[in-house]
Amino acid sequence: AQSVAQPEDQVNVAEGNPLTVKCTYSVSGNPYLFWYVQYPNRGLQFLLKYITGDNLVKGSYGFEAEFNKSQTSFHLKKPSALVSDSALYFCAVRDRGYNNDMRFGAGTRLTVKP
Amino acid sequence: DTAVSQTPKYLVTQMGNDKSIKCEQNLGHDTMYWYKQDSKKFLKIMFSYNNKELIINETVPNRFSPKSPDKAHLNLHINSLELGDSAVYFCASSIGLAGNYEQYFGPGTRLTVT
């Protein structure tokens, strides 16, 4: 069965520093991987996804993520954090194929301090 | 224009009541979903609909019933509300059922059962 883990409940970084939010997955075959962001009292917003091809995926707001098949990871990164990046980040995995549900990680709260 | 909208934003009601949450998407998507987010921010899929047909029905009590009058709308009706139903409910949509499609979320409905 597919599953996704976000090992850190909380990540704190200083503004201007690089940030990483970690995600590992467990699924048979080659999954589709997603990152979403949730701001307070808002719905989830899609950031980026890995489908196939280049392991480095670029997304919205300067975020990128690297698919690492050997480590079954899909960590979210940004070279220079902004205070406005503070939010709850969700990694999600979905089996390839048709009619498979998307499984979300437990979420990581990112706090960027001025 | 809001892509995925939900009403109401907040819903406070007593145990035993029946309530509905409405969802509309103007993206022209074929697939819509309902998720439940608990107090720990964990997201769980409840239902998905593709062209008015129920596709996924997780282990959700039959007190919950999705109703789709057309492919732009997916409403959630809940009978005999219980304390444990208190959560934030999110509607989402995607182009189709294929796993590589990202999902677009509504703003959420915070349900409080007293």
Side-chain angles (χ1 to χ4, degrees):
Chain A
Q2 55 179 298
S3 65
V4 59
Q6 294 179 241
E8 301 159 316
D9 292 335
Q10 174 90 29
V11 171
N12 297 315
V13 298
E15 188 174 29
N17 283 359
L19 70 87
T20 299
V21 183
K22 296 180 180 178
C23 172
T24 59
Y25 65 91
S26 173
V27 66
S28 57
N30 297 314
Y32 298 123
L33 295 157
F34 302 80
W35 275 102
Y36 289 83
V37 59
Q38 184 178 25
Y39 297 100
N41 299 315
R42 302 284 293 275
L44 278 71
Q45 294 180 29
F46 168 72
L47 277 179
L48 51 79
K49 64 183 177 182
Y50 173 78
I51 303 301
T52 189
D54 193 348
N55 289 342
L56 184 64
V57 179
K58 295 186 182 296
S60 306
Y61 312 121
F63 284 94
E64 57 188 28
E66 186 167 12
F67 171 63
N68 188 318
K69 187 173 182 178
S70 63
Q71 297 185 3
T72 61
S73 67
F74 189 55
H75 301 331
L76 182 70
K77 299 181 180 183
K78 187 173 183 180
S80 179
L82 300 173
V83 173
S84 58
D85 292 329
S86 299
L88 189 58
Y89 289 81
F90 290 95
C91 183
V93 63
R94 206 172 186 185
D95 278 335
R96 288 182 181 263
Y98 195 77
N99 193 18
N100 294 311
D101 56 323
M102 186 174 292
R103 302 282 184 177
F104 287 85
T108 298
R109 187 165 299 282
L110 172 68
T111 301
V112 182
K113 298 181 179 178
Chain B
D1 288 340
T2 303
V4 182
S5 59
Q6 296 178 229
T7 54
K9 189 172 177 63
Y10 299 96
L11 184 55
V12 181
T13 188
Q14 293 183 331
M15 282 192 303
N17 286 348
D18 302 338
K19 291 293 178 184
S20 293
I21 306 172
K22 294 184 177 181
C23 177
E24 177 181 2
Q25 55 95 3
N26 62 7
L27 297 167
H29 288 171
D30 283 344
T31 308
M32 296 183 71
Y33 310 83
W34 277 106
Y35 287 88
K36 179 180 181 180
Q37 187 176 46
D38 63 22
S39 59
K40 295 185 178 180
K41 303 298 184 182
F42 183 72
L43 268 166
K44 183 177 179 181
I45 181 77
M46 298 178 70
F47 302 104
S48 62
Y49 253 70
N50 185 68
N51 286 334
K52 298 176 64 176
E53 292 187 46
L54 181 65
I55 302 300
I56 299 174
N57 187 345
E58 292 285 312
T59 55
V60 173
N62 57 15
R63 298 182 295 104
F64 291 79
S65 56
K67 298 186 190 305
S68 179
D70 55 62
K71 78 171 191 177
H73 297 83
L74 182 63
N75 304 325
L76 183 65
H77 189 74
I78 315 169
N79 290 325
S80 302
L81 278 155
E82 301 178 357
L83 291 176
D85 298 332
S86 296
V88 180
Y89 292 83
F90 288 101
C91 177
S93 72
S94 64
I95 294 174
L97 278 175
N100 59 323
Y101 293 130
E102 63 271 21
Q103 296 177 11
Y104 294 82
F105 284 76
T109 296
R110 183 174 296 276
L111 172 65
T112 303
V113 182
T114 61

